[in-house]
Amino acid sequence: MALRKIRLSIVGFGVVGRWLADAVHRRRAWLASECDVNIAIVSVATRRDGFIYCDAGFDIPALLELAASGRPLALYPESRRWESAHSGLQATTCDILAEASNTNPRVPEPSLSHLQLALARGTHVITSSKGACAEDALELMALARRHNAHFRMESTVMSGTPVLSTIREGLAGSRVIELRGILNGTANYILTLMAEGHDYASALADAQSRGFAEPDPSDDVEGHDVVAKVRVLAAVAFGRSISVDQVVRRGIADLSLESVQQAVRDEQRIRLVATVRAQMDGNSFSTEKDSVEARVEPIALPLSDPLARVNGVMNALVIRTDTVSEVTVIGPGAGREQAAQGMFADLVAVIRCTAPLSG
């Protein structure tokens, strides 16, 4: 049987986009045997190079070598170039858009416009751009439904650790009551070192030296990154769109070493905890649009709490539902391989969902 050809566009060809392209190449035989597809990458885009399109599909190793060398991607033979990803997406077609152009949790653009454009045309979308999804996840999901497209964003929360798919598919039919999680590896690493006796400044410096924290760590240590993830979770788990102002936020930068050490002496651990819960109206859930409470704050947790024993750069999410009580998912929450694996898993999910029925 002939393989189904899938035309893939990758917008954002940094470490995540390149890893995804490499995974498509390395796992070509697996994709053929398990999904009956041959994936051709027909376009890639970066801020520096613009949008580069090759109708026949790129030779992936040659494309990756060109990108690694720092030479312009437009040097690829028989390719066409547009100044921006948006103009290139308007002028060309693909079956699936992989959007990884923006890592800033507080900035939705230009990713949001790319996602809206693709979905409005009925193009399936996978994305790791948490800023766009935090801003408009609910409308993006609705837009996908209106145009018979699939929209997946696994990498926006805990990177490649499957939490959104656990909620959407693994717990399908359950009603989520509460989510509690450690959703930022940088903050958790710093708090782990502080529990061992390091002050905040030395713990942050250690995290930066290991590449766990950015030179400007404010998004991580002040909780902005977690707020974005909380907004995505509210949309997926509760069908609610919440603004930044609706999330109570307190970061870890002002925590003293003494307060963290006191928690250790009390057989507790301070963690930056994200909480999203359905508000109750008497003995029943509220149906109002503002019926979700969301918080990001340091909390001293007893050692009996599963989140208290999540150390270093690991993340975790405790999902409480009306059917299976509590499910805890623990795994890495950052890293180029993890984020790209989340996108690869979404790519496979879309391919399987769109496979033609046999017989």
Side-chain angles (χ1 to χ4, degrees), residues 141-192:
M141 290 189 284
L143 184 62
R145 287 192 297 271
R146 289 198 298 271
H147 294 276
N148 296 314
H150 291 274
F151 173 67
R152 301 185 70 92
M153 50 185 170
E154 188 66 70
S155 292
T156 61
V157 181
M158 285 179 62
S159 289
T161 301
V163 291
L164 299 187
S165 56
T166 296
I167 295 170
R168 293 173 65 176
E169 283 102 45
L171 294 171
S174 296
R175 182 167 194 169
V176 176
I177 299 170
E178 180 185 65
L179 302 170
R180 290 191 310 121
I182 295 170
L183 301 179
N184 184 275
T186 299
N188 205 53
Y189 182 80
I190 291 170
L191 290 173
T192 299

Side-chain angles (χ1 to χ4, degrees), residues 87-168:
S87 58
L89 288 170
Q90 285 181 313
T92 63
T93 60
C94 63
D95 299 306
I96 301 174
L97 168 64
E99 217 291 343
S101 69
N102 188 10
T103 60
N104 191 319
R106 288 187 275 178
V107 179
E109 295 293 357
S111 302
L112 182 57
S113 293
H114 302 157
L115 302 178
Q116 291 169 334
L117 171 62
L119 292 171
R121 299 172 69 179
T123 301
H124 308 301
V125 169
I126 61 176
T127 185
S128 63
S129 296
K130 68 174 75 81
C133 295
E135 182 69 20
D136 223 11
L138 215 58
E139 179 54 35
L140 289 169
M141 290 189 284
L143 184 62
R145 287 192 297 271
R146 289 198 298 271
H147 294 276
N148 296 314
H150 291 274
F151 173 67
R152 301 185 70 92
M153 50 185 170
E154 188 66 70
S155 292
T156 61
V157 181
M158 285 179 62
S159 289
T161 301
V163 291
L164 299 187
S165 56
T166 296
I167 295 170
R168 293 173 65 176

Side-chain angles (χ1 to χ4, degrees), residues 189-190 193 199-213 217:
Y189 182 80
I190 291 170
L193 290 189
D199 63 23
Y200 173 81
S202 64
L204 172 59
D206 186 286
Q208 290 171 323
S209 71
R210 297 174 185 270
F212 297 153

